């Protein structure tokens, strides 16, 4: 019984660390030095990608479903029937369905299992995991989800990615709306620390006001833990989820455009909270 983890980025590195503390865990990362560092830190085993195909549970955590396709195709011919592939990427529901079908032909079962809780939650092993796919397959891998604080089965294949995209679209809207409101308050001479103090004890509070803006924007630190480009990607997936249902979601549509603009003008690799730098430009104020 072995576990493998592909993609030791900001999330995957600590997630795979929790696995290695409980199970024999093989790891691979495109920049292989990071896999070797992981092995040294957590006692995992850094191996060539094709060797990870031997594991009975294979996790991936890559930027988008496109990179997951690249890895799947690289492993074609190596995958073992009976393996369960758990994709913790914030991926695309339609791609999840296509990847599940592709894997099924090779005897491999697929769960879309994106995570929420950020790099702090990954380090603490308290991530929320939202899972799409066969619930019986989830029960078989549930004991391996050593990085999770909460695991919820949300529906068939693709449902996990859909819930994740909507969650992150809400993060994007809340963050942006709070930034617009605070920009007006700043222009009017209000102390933003005091304003956040009030909002966080009032009905306008959100994760963005409670845990992000005070800590990352007002301090001007913008620590890069979750890339702006990845949040823009998630809002785009959320809009695809809406479009698939022919839904009416003008507010999410606006968020999609605003975050694409912020990604270009502020930088895809900046922390997602740096999107508020675009609001600062639009209003000629600094949120500090
Ligand atoms: P990072 O950019 O930190 O890490 C990306 C990982 O993917 C790295 O290991 C990178 O390897 C690897 N990778 C990139 N391109 C390829 C490729 N073409 N082939 C193989 N490997 C590749 O991303 P995060 O860890 O922040 O995010 C991963 C996923 O988790 C995303 O879908 C994101 O939306 C989601 N997520 C992120 C959160 C966060 O707070 N950061 C929170 C919740 C979900 P290399 O080291 O070589 O670059």
């Amino acid at each position: 019984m072995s576990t493998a983890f592909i993609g030791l980025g900001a999330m995957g590195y600590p997630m795979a660390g929790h696995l290695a503390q409980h199970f024999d865990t093989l790891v691979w990362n495109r920049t292989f030095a990071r896999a070797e560092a992981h092995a040294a830190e957590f006692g995992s085993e850094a191996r060539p990608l094709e060797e990870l195909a031997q594991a009975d549970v294979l996790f991936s955590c890559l930027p988008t479903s496109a990179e997951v396709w690249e890895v799947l195709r690289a492993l074609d011919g190596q995958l073992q029937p009976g393996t369960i592939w758990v994709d913790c990427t914030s991926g695309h529901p339609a791609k999840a369905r296509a990847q599940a079908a592709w894997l099924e032909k090779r005897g491999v079962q697929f769960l879309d299992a994106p995570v929420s809780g950020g790099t702090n939650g990954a380090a603490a092993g308290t991530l929320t995991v939202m899972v799409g796919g066969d619930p019986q397959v989830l029960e078989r891998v549930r004991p391996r989800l050593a990085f999770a604080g909460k695991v919820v089965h949300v529906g068939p294949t693709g449902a996990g990615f859909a819930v994740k995209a909507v969650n992150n679209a809400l993060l994007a809207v809340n963050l942006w709306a709070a930034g617009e409101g605070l920009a007006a308050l700043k222009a009017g001479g209000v102390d933003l620390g005091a304003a956040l103090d009030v909002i966080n004890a009032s009905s306008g509070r959100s994760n963005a006001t409670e845990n992000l803006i005070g800590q990352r924007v007002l301090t001007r630190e913008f620590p890069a833990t979750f890339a702006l480009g990845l949040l823009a990607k998630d809002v785009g997936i959320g809009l695809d989820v809406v479009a698939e249902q022919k839904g009416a979601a003008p507010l999410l549509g606006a968020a999609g455009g605003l975050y694409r603009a912020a990604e270009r003008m502020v930088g895809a690799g900046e922390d997602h909270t740096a999107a508020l730098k675009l609001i600062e430009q639009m209003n000629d104020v600094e949120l500090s």
Side-chain angles (χ1 to χ4, degrees):
M1 300 282 276
S2 64
T3 300
F5 205 105
I6 295 170
L8 304 171
M11 294 299 285
Y13 192 93
M15 289 166 71
H18 286 285
L19 294 181
Q21 283 162 24
H22 295 90
F23 314 107
D24 290 340
T25 301
L26 310 180
V27 293
W28 177 83
N29 193 64
R30 179 181 63 175
T31 305
F32 198 67
R34 204 162 157 84
E36 291 170 331
H38 195 276
E41 185 172 347
F42 295 108
S44 57
E45 293 179 57
R47 291 289 169 80
L49 178 60
E50 55 275 14
E51 284 190 34
L52 272 69
Q54 309 298 322
D56 63 327
V57 181
L58 224 162
F59 291 88
S60 49
C61 189
L62 298 172
T64 74
S65 292
E67 289 80 21
V68 177
W69 265 132
E70 282 180 32
V71 170
L72 286 176
R73 294 202 168 105
L75 287 174
D76 199 8
Q78 326 264 354
L79 292 161
Q80 309 293 313
T83 294
I84 300 173
W85 189 298
V86 183
D87 185 20
C88 299
T89 304
S90 298
H92 196 293
K95 303 272 170 43
R97 293 189 285 270
Q99 289 169 351
W102 188 92
L103 284 166
E104 195 177 5
K105 285 187 194 140
R106 290 151 181 84
V108 176
Q109 288 168 300
F110 177 90
L111 296 173
D112 47 306
V115 298
S116 178
T119 52
N120 287 341
T126 57
L127 293 172
T128 298
V129 190
M130 53 219 91
V131 184
D134 184 338
Q136 291 178 346
V137 176
L138 169 58
E139 289 319 309
R140 284 167 52 206
V141 299
R142 194 185 280 271
R144 307 283 186 100
L145 303 177
F147 46 76
K150 184 179 177 77
V151 179
V152 183
H153 182 257
V154 292
T157 302
F161 288 163
V163 172
K164 175 67 187 176
V166 169
N167 176 76
N168 278 24
L170 297 180
L171 159 65
V173 167
N174 289 336
L175 178 62
W176 192 274
E180 287 187 359
L182 291 174
L185 292 175
K186 180 68 188 265
V190 174
D191 176 78
L192 294 188
L196 277 178
D197 200 17
V198 170
I199 290 166
N200 288 336
S202 306
S203 48
R205 69 186 180 277
S206 64
N207 180 62
T209 61
E210 289 183 319
N211 298 316
L212 296 176
I213 294 175
Q215 296 81 344
R216 298 181 181 216
V217 181
L218 267 54
T219 60
R220 314 308 291 166
E221 286 177 8
F222 303 102
T225 65
F226 177 40
L228 175 52
L230 291 177
L231 181 56
K233 173 259 304 181
D234 291 335
V235 182
I237 295 172
L239 289 172
D240 286 350
V241 170
V242 170
E244 195 181 344
Q245 303 306 325
K246 297 186 169 56
L251 195 51
L252 297 186
L258 291 167
Y259 278 85
R260 284 295 176 211
E263 179 186 17
R264 289 210 182 87
M265 297 177 74
V266 178
E270 297 293 316
D271 189 59
H272 62 301
T273 55
L276 270 55
K277 289 182 181 173
L278 183 52
I279 296 176
E280 292 179 333
Q281 287 178 44
M282 290 161 65
N283 290 278
D284 198 20
V285 293
E286 183 176 282
L287 298 174
S288 59

